[in-house]
mmCIF file of all heavy atoms in Angstrom:
data_model
loop_
_atom_site.group_PDB
_atom_site.id
_atom_site.type_symbol
_atom_site.label_atom_id
_atom_site.label_comp_id
_atom_site.label_asym_id
_atom_site.label_seq_id
_atom_site.Cartn_x
_atom_site.Cartn_y
_atom_site.Cartn_z
ATOM 1 N N GLN A 1 -20.590 0.826 -8.120
ATOM 2 C CA GLN A 1 -19.358 0.069 -8.300
ATOM 3 C C GLN A 1 -18.370 0.437 -7.201
ATOM 4 O O GLN A 1 -17.367 1.113 -7.441
ATOM 5 C CB GLN A 1 -18.787 0.354 -9.686
ATOM 6 C CG GLN A 1 -19.680 -0.098 -10.823
ATOM 7 C CD GLN A 1 -19.973 -1.604 -10.752
ATOM 8 O OE1 GLN A 1 -19.046 -2.412 -10.672
ATOM 9 N NE2 GLN A 1 -21.241 -1.975 -10.782
ATOM 10 N N ASP A 2 -18.658 -0.006 -5.993
ATOM 11 C CA ASP A 2 -17.766 0.289 -4.886
ATOM 12 C C ASP A 2 -16.773 -0.848 -4.681
ATOM 13 O O ASP A 2 -16.741 -1.806 -5.440
ATOM 14 C CB ASP A 2 -18.573 0.565 -3.619
ATOM 15 C CG ASP A 2 -19.370 -0.641 -3.160
ATOM 16 O OD1 ASP A 2 -19.519 -1.589 -3.950
ATOM 17 O OD2 ASP A 2 -19.847 -0.625 -2.014
ATOM 18 N N THR A 3 -15.966 -0.729 -3.660
ATOM 19 C CA THR A 3 -15.025 -1.780 -3.283
ATOM 20 C C THR A 3 -15.251 -2.110 -1.814
ATOM 21 O O THR A 3 -15.943 -1.384 -1.102
ATOM 22 C CB THR A 3 -13.572 -1.316 -3.470
ATOM 23 O OG1 THR A 3 -13.308 -0.253 -2.543
ATOM 24 C CG2 THR A 3 -13.314 -0.830 -4.899
ATOM 25 N N ALA A 4 -14.612 -3.178 -1.357
ATOM 26 C CA ALA A 4 -14.754 -3.547 0.052
ATOM 27 C C ALA A 4 -14.240 -2.427 0.960
ATOM 28 O O ALA A 4 -14.881 -2.079 1.959
ATOM 29 C CB ALA A 4 -14.006 -4.845 0.327
ATOM 30 N N ILE A 5 -13.106 -1.856 0.617
ATOM 31 C CA ILE A 5 -12.526 -0.806 1.453
ATOM 32 C C ILE A 5 -13.394 0.452 1.427
ATOM 33 O O ILE A 5 -13.588 1.110 2.463
ATOM 34 C CB ILE A 5 -11.083 -0.494 1.016
ATOM 35 C CG1 ILE A 5 -10.173 -1.703 1.273
ATOM 36 C CG2 ILE A 5 -10.551 0.738 1.749
ATOM 37 C CD1 ILE A 5 -10.085 -2.145 2.729
ATOM 38 N N MET A 6 -13.966 0.809 0.282
ATOM 39 C CA MET A 6 -14.868 1.954 0.227
ATOM 40 C C MET A 6 -16.043 1.771 1.173
ATOM 41 O O MET A 6 -16.535 2.723 1.777
ATOM 42 C CB MET A 6 -15.395 2.141 -1.205
ATOM 43 C CG MET A 6 -14.382 2.743 -2.168
ATOM 44 S SD MET A 6 -14.971 2.692 -3.885
ATOM 45 C CE MET A 6 -16.390 3.790 -3.799
ATOM 46 N N HIS A 7 -16.497 0.521 1.330
ATOM 47 C CA HIS A 7 -17.669 0.253 2.157
ATOM 48 C C HIS A 7 -17.411 0.570 3.629
ATOM 49 O O HIS A 7 -18.336 0.907 4.363
ATOM 50 C CB HIS A 7 -18.095 -1.203 1.995
ATOM 51 C CG HIS A 7 -19.485 -1.479 2.477
ATOM 52 N ND1 HIS A 7 -20.602 -0.903 1.925
ATOM 53 C CD2 HIS A 7 -19.949 -2.263 3.484
ATOM 54 C CE1 HIS A 7 -21.687 -1.320 2.550
ATOM 55 N NE2 HIS A 7 -21.317 -2.141 3.509
ATOM 56 N N PHE A 8 -16.154 0.469 4.053
ATOM 57 C CA PHE A 8 -15.825 0.867 5.424
ATOM 58 C C PHE A 8 -16.228 2.321 5.661
ATOM 59 O O PHE A 8 -16.817 2.658 6.686
ATOM 60 C CB PHE A 8 -14.314 0.710 5.677
ATOM 61 C CG PHE A 8 -13.882 -0.688 5.986
ATOM 62 C CD1 PHE A 8 -13.614 -1.589 4.969
ATOM 63 C CD2 PHE A 8 -13.732 -1.098 7.301
ATOM 64 C CE1 PHE A 8 -13.198 -2.884 5.254
ATOM 65 C CE2 PHE A 8 -13.318 -2.390 7.599
ATOM 66 C CZ PHE A 8 -13.052 -3.283 6.570
ATOM 67 N N TYR A 9 -15.878 3.172 4.704
ATOM 68 C CA TYR A 9 -16.097 4.611 4.870
ATOM 69 C C TYR A 9 -17.538 5.016 4.562
ATOM 70 O O TYR A 9 -18.040 5.995 5.127
ATOM 71 C CB TYR A 9 -15.123 5.380 3.978
ATOM 72 C CG TYR A 9 -13.689 5.099 4.340
ATOM 73 C CD1 TYR A 9 -12.962 4.141 3.639
ATOM 74 C CD2 TYR A 9 -13.080 5.746 5.414
ATOM 75 C CE1 TYR A 9 -11.649 3.854 3.990
ATOM 76 C CE2 TYR A 9 -11.770 5.467 5.765
ATOM 77 C CZ TYR A 9 -11.056 4.512 5.053
ATOM 78 O OH TYR A 9 -9.763 4.222 5.414
ATOM 79 N N GLU A 10 -18.192 4.275 3.677
ATOM 80 C CA GLU A 10 -19.557 4.614 3.297
ATOM 81 C C GLU A 10 -20.591 4.077 4.285
ATOM 82 O O GLU A 10 -21.718 4.563 4.332
ATOM 83 C CB GLU A 10 -19.846 4.098 1.894
ATOM 84 C CG GLU A 10 -19.039 4.822 0.831
ATOM 85 C CD GLU A 10 -19.210 4.263 -0.568
ATOM 86 O OE1 GLU A 10 -19.912 3.240 -0.734
ATOM 87 O OE2 GLU A 10 -18.644 4.848 -1.506
ATOM 88 N N LYS A 11 -20.192 3.091 5.104
ATOM 89 C CA LYS A 11 -21.142 2.544 6.081
ATOM 90 C C LYS A 11 -20.499 2.153 7.410
ATOM 91 O O LYS A 11 -20.859 2.695 8.454
ATOM 92 C CB LYS A 11 -21.881 1.327 5.506
ATOM 93 C CG LYS A 11 -22.836 0.691 6.510
ATOM 94 C CD LYS A 11 -23.515 -0.556 5.966
ATOM 95 C CE LYS A 11 -24.435 -1.172 7.013
ATOM 96 N NZ LYS A 11 -25.090 -2.417 6.514
ATOM 97 N N LEU A 12 -19.559 1.218 7.387
ATOM 98 C CA LEU A 12 -19.130 0.550 8.615
ATOM 99 C C LEU A 12 -18.582 1.485 9.678
ATOM 100 O O LEU A 12 -18.891 1.338 10.867
ATOM 101 C CB LEU A 12 -18.098 -0.543 8.291
ATOM 102 C CG LEU A 12 -18.506 -1.572 7.230
ATOM 103 C CD1 LEU A 12 -17.486 -2.700 7.173
ATOM 104 C CD2 LEU A 12 -19.901 -2.123 7.496
ATOM 105 N N LEU A 13 -17.772 2.457 9.275
ATOM 106 C CA LEU A 13 -17.175 3.368 10.253
ATOM 107 C C LEU A 13 -18.179 4.380 10.804
ATOM 108 O O LEU A 13 -17.896 5.078 11.783
ATOM 109 C CB LEU A 13 -15.983 4.097 9.637
ATOM 110 C CG LEU A 13 -14.780 3.203 9.305
ATOM 111 C CD1 LEU A 13 -13.714 3.996 8.555
ATOM 112 C CD2 LEU A 13 -14.191 2.565 10.555
ATOM 113 N N LYS A 14 -19.352 4.448 10.207
ATOM 114 C CA LYS A 14 -20.399 5.355 10.679
ATOM 115 C C LYS A 14 -21.271 4.726 11.763
ATOM 116 O O LYS A 14 -21.980 5.421 12.493
ATOM 117 C CB LYS A 14 -21.295 5.784 9.514
ATOM 118 C CG LYS A 14 -20.584 6.552 8.414
ATOM 119 C CD LYS A 14 -21.538 6.867 7.276
ATOM 120 C CE LYS A 14 -20.844 7.640 6.160
ATOM 121 N NZ LYS A 14 -21.781 7.945 5.044
ATOM 122 N N LEU A 15 -21.240 3.406 11.860
ATOM 123 C CA LEU A 15 -22.214 2.708 12.694
ATOM 124 C C LEU A 15 -22.002 2.903 14.194
ATOM 125 O O LEU A 15 -22.968 2.867 14.961
ATOM 126 C CB LEU A 15 -22.213 1.211 12.350
ATOM 127 C CG LEU A 15 -22.676 0.873 10.920
ATOM 128 C CD1 LEU A 15 -22.630 -0.632 10.694
ATOM 129 C CD2 LEU A 15 -24.082 1.406 10.668
ATOM 130 N N LYS A 16 -20.769 3.097 14.613
ATOM 131 C CA LYS A 16 -20.501 3.267 16.048
ATOM 132 C C LYS A 16 -21.351 4.377 16.653
ATOM 133 O O LYS A 16 -21.872 4.236 17.766
ATOM 134 C CB LYS A 16 -19.013 3.571 16.260
ATOM 135 C CG LYS A 16 -18.647 3.954 17.690
ATOM 136 C CD LYS A 16 -17.167 4.228 17.840
ATOM 137 C CE LYS A 16 -16.741 5.511 17.163
ATOM 138 N NZ LYS A 16 -17.245 6.724 17.883
ATOM 139 N N ASP A 17 -21.495 5.453 15.938
ATOM 140 C CA ASP A 17 -22.216 6.610 16.461
ATOM 141 C C ASP A 17 -23.726 6.530 16.258
ATOM 142 O O ASP A 17 -24.446 7.479 16.587
ATOM 143 C CB ASP A 17 -21.685 7.889 15.804
ATOM 144 C CG ASP A 17 -20.232 8.155 16.155
ATOM 145 O OD1 ASP A 17 -19.830 7.810 17.285
ATOM 146 O OD2 ASP A 17 -19.499 8.692 15.303
ATOM 147 N N LEU A 18 -24.197 5.410 15.732
ATOM 148 C CA LEU A 18 -25.629 5.242 15.477
ATOM 149 C C LEU A 18 -26.276 4.239 16.426
ATOM 150 O O LEU A 18 -27.452 3.912 16.263
ATOM 151 C CB LEU A 18 -25.858 4.807 14.026
ATOM 152 C CG LEU A 18 -25.381 5.786 12.942
ATOM 153 C CD1 LEU A 18 -25.618 5.194 11.543
ATOM 154 C CD2 LEU A 18 -26.089 7.130 13.081
ATOM 155 N N MET A 19 -25.516 3.761 17.417
ATOM 156 C CA MET A 19 -26.067 2.802 18.377
ATOM 157 C C MET A 19 -27.000 3.508 19.353
ATOM 158 O O MET A 19 -26.841 4.693 19.651
ATOM 159 C CB MET A 19 -24.934 2.115 19.142
ATOM 160 C CG MET A 19 -23.978 1.318 18.270
ATOM 161 S SD MET A 19 -24.768 -0.120 17.500
ATOM 162 C CE MET A 19 -23.548 -0.513 16.230
ATOM 163 N N HIS A 20 -27.966 2.772 19.870
ATOM 164 C CA HIS A 20 -28.973 3.333 20.767
ATOM 165 C C HIS A 20 -28.751 2.951 22.229
ATOM 166 O O HIS A 20 -28.840 3.798 23.112
ATOM 167 C CB HIS A 20 -30.369 2.864 20.349
ATOM 168 C CG HIS A 20 -30.725 3.226 18.950
ATOM 169 N ND1 HIS A 20 -31.076 4.501 18.568
ATOM 170 C CD2 HIS A 20 -30.770 2.469 17.820
ATOM 171 C CE1 HIS A 20 -31.336 4.523 17.272
ATOM 172 N NE2 HIS A 20 -31.157 3.300 16.801
ATOM 173 N N THR A 21 -28.505 1.683 22.479
ATOM 174 C CA THR A 21 -28.416 1.203 23.862
ATOM 175 C C THR A 21 -26.992 1.317 24.395
ATOM 176 O O THR A 21 -26.021 1.231 23.639
ATOM 177 C CB THR A 21 -28.879 -0.265 23.963
ATOM 178 O OG1 THR A 21 -28.000 -1.094 23.185
ATOM 179 C CG2 THR A 21 -30.304 -0.409 23.439
ATOM 180 N N ASP A 22 -26.869 1.482 25.693
ATOM 181 C CA ASP A 22 -25.548 1.622 26.311
ATOM 182 C C ASP A 22 -24.692 0.375 26.086
ATOM 183 O O ASP A 22 -23.479 0.472 25.864
ATOM 184 C CB ASP A 22 -25.696 1.889 27.814
ATOM 185 C CG ASP A 22 -26.248 3.279 28.101
ATOM 186 O OD1 ASP A 22 -26.156 4.148 27.216
ATOM 187 O OD2 ASP A 22 -26.786 3.476 29.214
ATOM 188 N N TYR A 23 -25.310 -0.784 26.160
ATOM 189 C CA TYR A 23 -24.575 -2.039 25.971
ATOM 190 C C TYR A 23 -23.982 -2.098 24.574
ATOM 191 O O TYR A 23 -22.808 -2.437 24.388
ATOM 192 C CB TYR A 23 -25.510 -3.224 26.206
ATOM 193 C CG TYR A 23 -24.813 -4.567 26.180
ATOM 194 C CD1 TYR A 23 -24.277 -5.108 27.348
ATOM 195 C CD2 TYR A 23 -24.697 -5.306 25.012
ATOM 196 C CE1 TYR A 23 -23.640 -6.339 27.340
ATOM 197 C CE2 TYR A 23 -24.056 -6.535 24.993
ATOM 198 C CZ TYR A 23 -23.527 -7.045 26.158
ATOM 199 O OH TYR A 23 -22.885 -8.263 26.148
ATOM 200 N N ALA A 24 -24.781 -1.735 23.564
ATOM 201 C CA ALA A 24 -24.306 -1.768 22.182
ATOM 202 C C ALA A 24 -23.226 -0.718 21.949
ATOM 203 O O ALA A 24 -22.258 -0.959 21.222
ATOM 204 C CB ALA A 24 -25.473 -1.547 21.225
ATOM 205 N N LYS A 25 -23.380 0.443 22.564
ATOM 206 C CA LYS A 25 -22.377 1.506 22.407
ATOM 207 C C LYS A 25 -21.020 1.039 22.919
ATOM 208 O O LYS A 25 -19.983 1.333 22.315
ATOM 209 C CB LYS A 25 -22.819 2.758 23.165
ATOM 210 C CG LYS A 25 -23.985 3.486 22.518
ATOM 211 C CD LYS A 25 -24.443 4.665 23.379
ATOM 212 C CE LYS A 25 -25.644 5.362 22.755
ATOM 213 N NZ LYS A 25 -26.137 6.476 23.609
ATOM 214 N N LYS A 26 -21.029 0.302 24.027
ATOM 215 C CA LYS A 26 -19.776 -0.193 24.598
ATOM 216 C C LYS A 26 -19.116 -1.201 23.662
ATOM 217 O O LYS A 26 -17.902 -1.120 23.403
ATOM 218 C CB LYS A 26 -20.053 -0.841 25.962
ATOM 219 C CG LYS A 26 -18.814 -1.349 26.671
ATOM 220 C CD LYS A 26 -19.162 -1.929 28.030
ATOM 221 C CE LYS A 26 -17.917 -2.470 28.724
ATOM 222 N NZ LYS A 26 -18.247 -3.047 30.065
ATOM 223 N N LEU A 27 -19.895 -2.143 23.147
ATOM 224 C CA LEU A 27 -19.344 -3.124 22.210
ATOM 225 C C LEU A 27 -18.876 -2.463 20.923
ATOM 226 O O LEU A 27 -17.860 -2.844 20.347
ATOM 227 C CB LEU A 27 -20.391 -4.197 21.893
ATOM 228 C CG LEU A 27 -20.796 -5.149 23.009
ATOM 229 C CD1 LEU A 27 -21.738 -6.219 22.452
ATOM 230 C CD2 LEU A 27 -19.588 -5.805 23.640
ATOM 231 N N ALA A 28 -19.626 -1.477 20.464
ATOM 232 C CA ALA A 28 -19.303 -0.807 19.205
ATOM 233 C C ALA A 28 -17.959 -0.083 19.281
ATOM 234 O O ALA A 28 -17.226 -0.035 18.282
ATOM 235 C CB ALA A 28 -20.409 0.168 18.827
ATOM 236 N N GLU A 29 -17.632 0.472 20.434
ATOM 237 C CA GLU A 29 -16.370 1.193 20.593
ATOM 238 C C GLU A 29 -15.185 0.279 20.289
ATOM 239 O O GLU A 29 -14.280 0.644 19.534
ATOM 240 C CB GLU A 29 -16.249 1.746 22.016
ATOM 241 C CG GLU A 29 -17.137 2.938 22.316
ATOM 242 C CD GLU A 29 -16.651 4.223 21.662
ATOM 243 O OE1 GLU A 29 -15.497 4.256 21.169
ATOM 244 O OE2 GLU A 29 -17.427 5.195 21.648
ATOM 245 N N GLN A 30 -15.178 -0.905 20.879
ATOM 246 C CA GLN A 30 -14.039 -1.800 20.678
ATOM 247 C C GLN A 30 -14.035 -2.388 19.271
ATOM 248 O O GLN A 30 -12.964 -2.568 18.668
ATOM 249 C CB GLN A 30 -14.031 -2.910 21.740
ATOM 250 C CG GLN A 30 -15.265 -3.798 21.763
ATOM 251 C CD GLN A 30 -15.348 -4.648 23.025
ATOM 252 O OE1 GLN A 30 -15.094 -4.167 24.132
ATOM 253 N NE2 GLN A 30 -15.697 -5.914 22.858
ATOM 254 N N ARG A 31 -15.201 -2.656 18.717
ATOM 255 C CA ARG A 31 -15.259 -3.187 17.354
ATOM 256 C C ARG A 31 -14.827 -2.126 16.346
ATOM 257 O O ARG A 31 -14.150 -2.434 15.353
ATOM 258 C CB ARG A 31 -16.671 -3.697 17.041
ATOM 259 C CG ARG A 31 -17.072 -4.893 17.886
ATOM 260 C CD ARG A 31 -18.368 -5.515 17.404
ATOM 261 N NE ARG A 31 -18.814 -6.586 18.288
ATOM 262 C CZ ARG A 31 -19.571 -7.614 17.914
ATOM 263 N NH1 ARG A 31 -19.977 -7.699 16.667
ATOM 264 N NH2 ARG A 31 -19.925 -8.535 18.772
ATOM 265 N N HIS A 32 -15.219 -0.886 16.588
ATOM 266 C CA HIS A 32 -14.824 0.217 15.713
ATOM 267 C C HIS A 32 -13.302 0.379 15.717
ATOM 268 O O HIS A 32 -12.680 0.548 14.660
ATOM 269 C CB HIS A 32 -15.499 1.504 16.189
ATOM 270 C CG HIS A 32 -15.154 2.706 15.366
ATOM 271 N ND1 HIS A 32 -15.856 3.061 14.234
ATOM 272 C CD2 HIS A 32 -14.177 3.646 15.507
ATOM 273 C CE1 HIS A 32 -15.346 4.159 13.718
ATOM 274 N NE2 HIS A 32 -14.326 4.535 14.478
#
């Protein structure tokens, strides 16, 4: 029973540091 805001912390804000390719890492920085 999570919320939309909880999901940021449980998943979305973690994704930037999980990218593999340099191109994705660059895009992830600005999206994060």
Side-chain angles (χ1 to χ4, degrees):
Q1 296 302 307
D2 64 346
T3 66
I5 294 300
M6 285 171 65
H7 197 63
F8 279 84
Y9 299 97
E10 293 175 356
K11 178 183 179 181
L12 307 189
L13 293 174
K14 298 177 180 180
L15 296 180
K16 172 179 71 71
D17 296 327
L18 299 178
M19 299 294 165
H20 302 285
T21 63
D22 290 340
Y23 186 89
K25 288 176 182 178
K26 182 178 179 180
L27 292 186
E29 287 286 347
Q30 60 194 43
R31 294 189 185 207
H32 180 88

